[in-house]
Amino acid sequence: MEAPTTETNGAAEPLNVLVWHVHGPWLNSFVQGRHRYLVPYDGRDGAPGSEWARGLCGRPWPTARDIAPADLVGENIDVVVLQRPRELDLVSEWLGRSPGADLPAVYVEHDTPREHAALTRHPLADRTDIPLVHVTPFNRLMWDNGRCPTTVIPHGVRDPGLLYTGELARAATIINDPIPRWRITGTDLLAPLSLAAPIDVYGTGTEDLANALQVPPERVCGAGDFTQDRLHAELARHRLFVHTPRWTSLGLSVIEAMYLGMPIVALGTTEASASIPADAGVVSTEPDILAEAIRQFLHEPVFAELTGKAARHWAQANFGIEQFLGRWDAALAESTAAHQTLRTR
């Protein structure tokens, strides 16, 4: 059997990659690569798909296309990118092939362990045929990865440009589903921090946030979910960006905020302290220190602007889309080559 990629003038041909739409911002970066991306979709005529087959959801991704699960069996899939344990079974059900054994596969772990971090074993810990890719070094450290080969591919973000104006004397943040996730996303911290500056919260499920926090909407405003271009423009009008999660992976939102040129005030948990340097803002586990930093940026717009420019330079140097795609090219090539080696033995 021939390997799924061939060399043409020194460059490997694009792969047919099966990947689910789980985390929209991450997938938005991933599909900027040179491959062909097949995204399962079980809706009809543009209607929303299920959580296991959402499709593109109308995203303008020219290298990706929706595909019905029933049509996958007829497709030439070179490699599958898994993101949830259930997808291992879906590949077998939909393609009649076992990921790792019959089909090259890579598993991306977006999240921190749900419960006891030091004791939680990863679902792939006993497998050696599917490499495990963590999105932050912190995630790799906290999961018990067992025998599974692991690596880290940090986030990469397309540069939206230096859009910061800071014209609004308000803070902004992005939290999806802040009410049900509450302490995990640091939603409870918004009320006391809003005494330092009013906070506009963007994301899904934010509309009733002020009532849930029992504060006036002038202090914490649930702004709703915006398209990416509009969201970037709205964020950049705010004086600073606040990042409050206690126990999630480093959000792409804080990286995007740095790219926009916004100063950052962040809770010093998970990967935040390693990803936000001192000249890009303030990182602390002490809410009073965060509140004081918010006040300082609010009342010193020139300082806020200079800090935001430093944050942007850091983001460009550490979270570039080209580095991200290059690392993923290497990971996919290694997975397909390793699988081919096993098949020919």
Side-chain angles (χ1 to χ4, degrees):
M1 175 182 284
E2 294 182 355
T5 59
T6 57
E7 297 294 324
T8 303
N9 297 326
E13 291 184 356
L15 299 168
N16 291 324
V17 182
L18 174 62
V19 60
W20 278 258
H21 188 165
V22 180
H23 295 279
W26 180 87
L27 189 59
N28 181 63
S29 293
F30 184 71
V31 300
Q32 304 304 317
R34 60 188 186 83
H35 304 293
R36 296 178 289 265
Y37 307 93
L38 307 177
V39 184
Y41 173 61
D42 60 8
R44 289 186 178 181
D45 302 323
S50 72
E51 67 171 311
W52 301 108
R54 296 177 61 200
L56 273 63
C57 299
R59 302 297 201 279
W61 296 331
T63 58
R65 65 180 174 92
D66 289 334
I67 186 166
D71 294 336
L72 282 168
V73 70
E75 291 286 336
N76 178 28
I77 306 296
D78 294 318
V79 61
V80 57
V81 175
L82 306 159
Q83 300 167 77
R84 297 166 293 184
R86 169 68 175 141
E87 294 169 10
L88 290 158
D89 297 328
L90 291 179
V91 172
S92 299
E93 294 172 15
W94 292 349
L95 278 73
R97 303 164 69 185
S98 177
D102 304 320
L103 180 67
V106 178
Y107 191 107
V108 184
E109 181 51 70
H110 294 283
D111 299 320
T112 47
R114 295 286 182 179
E115 296 295 338
H116 302 289
L119 305 177
T120 303
R121 196 164 175 82
H122 197 275
L124 264 66
D126 294 320
R127 301 193 65 151
T128 59
D129 56 344
I130 301 178
L132 176 58
V133 176
H134 291 282
V135 297
T136 69
F138 183 88
N139 282 17
R140 179 171 61 176
L141 175 69
M142 299 312 291
W143 281 101
D144 176 358
N145 300 300
R147 299 186 301 133
C148 188
T150 64
T151 189
V152 175
I153 299 181
H155 290 306
V157 174
R158 285 196 302 171
D159 189 347
L162 177 59
L163 303 182
Y164 180 76
T165 66
E167 63 199 77
L168 298 180
R170 302 176 66 88
T173 191
I174 302 175
I175 306 176
N176 288 319
D177 302 315
I179 297 174
R181 297 169 72 196
W182 205 252
R183 283 182 56 85
I184 292 175
T185 53
T187 305
D188 59 300
L189 300 174
L190 296 175
L193 291 178
S194 69
L195 293 172
I199 302 174
D200 293 327
V201 185
Y202 297 86
T204 58
T206 59
E207 290 79 4
D208 199 40
L209 185 54
N211 287 334
L213 289 167
Q214 298 183 333
V215 298
E218 294 79 17
R219 274 179 51 193
V220 178
C221 176
D225 194 25
F226 288 17
T227 61
Q228 189 175 58
D229 288 347
R230 185 183 171 197
L231 177 61
H232 287 162
E234 288 296 320
L235 290 176
R237 298 176 62 218
H238 291 73
R239 188 67 48 81
L240 69 144
F241 188 88
V242 176
H243 185 64
T244 61
R246 279 187 176 87
W247 190 244
T248 66
S249 286
L250 181 72
L252 276 164
S253 61
V254 73
I255 300 173
E256 291 173 336
M258 288 194 286
Y259 261 107
L260 293 171
M262 301 182 72
I264 307 299
V265 174
L267 195 64
T269 54
T270 63
E271 193 69 17
S273 59
S275 299
I276 305 168
D279 57 353
V282 175
V283 180
S284 176
T285 55
E286 175 52 64
D288 288 344
I289 293 177
L290 299 181
E292 182 55 36
I294 291 172
R295 292 188 190 96
Q296 185 174 16
F297 286 130
L298 191 72
H299 296 298
E300 298 184 28
V302 174
F303 176 58
E305 182 180 7
L306 292 174
T307 304
K309 287 181 177 178
R312 174 173 166 79
H313 291 320
W314 171 265
Q316 289 175 312
N318 292 275
F319 298 106
I321 190 69
E322 294 303 326
Q323 300 98 305
F324 172 80
L325 294 175
R327 288 166 177 148
W328 266 109
D329 271 351
L332 297 177
E334 183 177 344
S335 178
T336 54
H339 186 265
Q340 178 61 23
T341 300
L342 290 174
R343 292 291 299 272
T344 55
R345 283 180 179 175

